[in-house]
Amino acid sequence: MVKSEGVHKSFGAAHVLKGIDLEVAPREVFCLVGPSGSGKSTFLRCINHLEKINAGRLYVDGDLVGYRQRGDKLYELKDSEVAAKRRDIGMVFQRFNLFPHMTALENVMEAPMQVKREARAVARARAERLLDRVGLGDKVGNYPAQLSGGQQQRVAIARALAMEPKLMLFDEPTSALDPELVGEVLDVMRGLAEEGMTMIVVTHEMGFAREVGDSIVFMDDGVVVESGHPREVLTNPRHERTKSFLSKVL
């Protein structure tokens, strides 16, 4: 579903990604862990072309991300073409980014109506199903300010799912939550994993990675230091940098 070949990304003089090679299979739950500033979130944003890579190749479901190749040359896609590709990729951010003037239901309905030109009744029916699925069937008329952080993040997940994506990206989805609210969001993500959704999750929740993840990558300073099955990497890390990091978070 996702293939990264030698991906580099710089912001000015800061070389943030230094040749990332990895693959994510369909239906896989792929966890990215590592210290702050290691490039995890930047890599996630490159997958849906919110950030443009400086070198390498990124593919989602066999298609180049952000570019078209002719011969040996890459040509950047138009904004409209990038947006069309991005419809297939759902993203959930650290901060919930909900529209404050819209109810939970309206937040989930908006993208299918505006982007896919879906009929209001169809969008509403799906939004109601999705909010029920994330445990918020009784909150459809509430505005974000009337919801807890965990509830807002679950609305954000429902909103991403409303576009019926083939891939879901989660950028530290629980990091802005009070500890007692983390579990309700992780439960929704567990449900998605059980249903076979392909997911890439940047997370500090090592218990979730161990329990739900199929693969884990430890990143540091813009490179992949270690990768493998979560139970193996978290229990028996091979690299000294991985051992040092895990000793502080486990």
Side-chain angles (χ1 to χ4, degrees):
M1 182 62 76
V2 178
K3 186 175 184 180
S4 174
E5 298 177 340
V7 166
H8 287 256
K9 174 63 183 176
S10 296
F11 296 99
H15 197 176
V16 179
L17 299 177
K18 303 172 182 176
I20 302 297
D21 294 302
L22 55 81
E23 292 187 17
V24 182
R27 303 176 67 88
E28 185 172 7
V29 178
F30 191 96
C31 296
L32 285 171
V33 302
S36 296
S38 59
K40 308 181 303 295
S41 295
T42 297
F43 179 69
L44 209 66
R45 292 171 64 84
C46 289
I47 292 172
N48 61 3
H49 208 56
L50 288 175
E51 299 291 353
K52 299 176 183 179
I53 65 176
N54 299 115
R57 299 283 192 278
L58 256 177
Y59 300 87
V60 172
D61 202 19
D63 293 330
L64 265 175
V65 173
Y67 297 91
R68 179 183 294 108
Q69 185 162 347
R70 291 193 192 127
D72 295 332
K73 288 192 173 182
L74 291 183
Y75 298 89
E76 190 166 4
L77 298 178
K78 298 175 184 175
D79 288 346
S80 59
E81 294 174 299
V82 171
K85 299 274 189 185
R86 201 178 279 145
R87 296 177 193 176
D88 292 329
I89 304 173
M91 187 159 185
V92 178
F93 300 87
Q94 294 178 41
R95 299 289 171 179
F96 324 121
N97 292 352
L98 298 177
F99 297 116
H101 62 290
M102 293 183 179
T103 64
L105 185 69
E106 290 166 342
N107 264 283
V108 179
M109 291 170 60
E110 184 70 5
M113 289 171 55
Q114 294 297 328
V115 178
K116 291 186 172 181
R117 302 299 178 194
E118 202 164 79
R120 185 175 186 84
V122 175
R124 182 185 181 96
R126 184 191 296 108
E128 289 173 342
R129 287 197 306 273
L130 287 170
L131 286 169
D132 192 53
R133 178 176 170 187
V134 300
L136 294 172
D138 60 338
K139 302 291 185 183
V140 294
N142 288 51
Y143 290 90
Q146 299 170 315
L147 301 172
S148 70
Q151 290 170 335
Q152 289 186 60
Q153 192 61 294
R154 284 185 281 158
V155 172
I157 293 172
R159 180 178 62 179
L161 291 172
M163 291 295 285
E164 300 180 316
K166 62 179 73 169
L167 169 68
M168 284 284 285
L169 308 176
F170 292 88
D171 187 8
E172 297 188 29
T174 59
S175 65
L177 301 179
D178 292 333
E180 67 269 21
L181 301 178
V182 168
E184 63 190 49
V185 173
L186 294 181
D187 283 345
V188 171
M189 295 170 65
R190 283 188 189 93
L192 290 176
E194 289 167 3
E195 293 168 15
M197 174 63 74
T198 308
M199 299 160 60
I200 303 179
V201 185
V202 172
T203 185
H204 293 297
E205 300 292 338
M206 298 302 161
F208 174 85
R210 182 188 289 110
E211 176 192 345
V212 183
D214 298 301
S215 301
I216 193 169
V217 158
F218 171 67
M219 287 180 63
D220 187 38
D221 195 28
V223 300
V224 172
V225 176
E226 190 162 342
S227 62
H229 190 279
R231 289 189 182 90
E232 179 65 26
V233 172
L234 295 176
T235 304
N236 189 29
R238 298 183 304 275
H239 198 284
E240 286 302 320
R241 183 65 187 93
T242 317
K243 293 176 183 177
S244 173
F245 173 76
L246 291 177
S247 71
K248 297 177 176 67
V249 299
L250 290 177

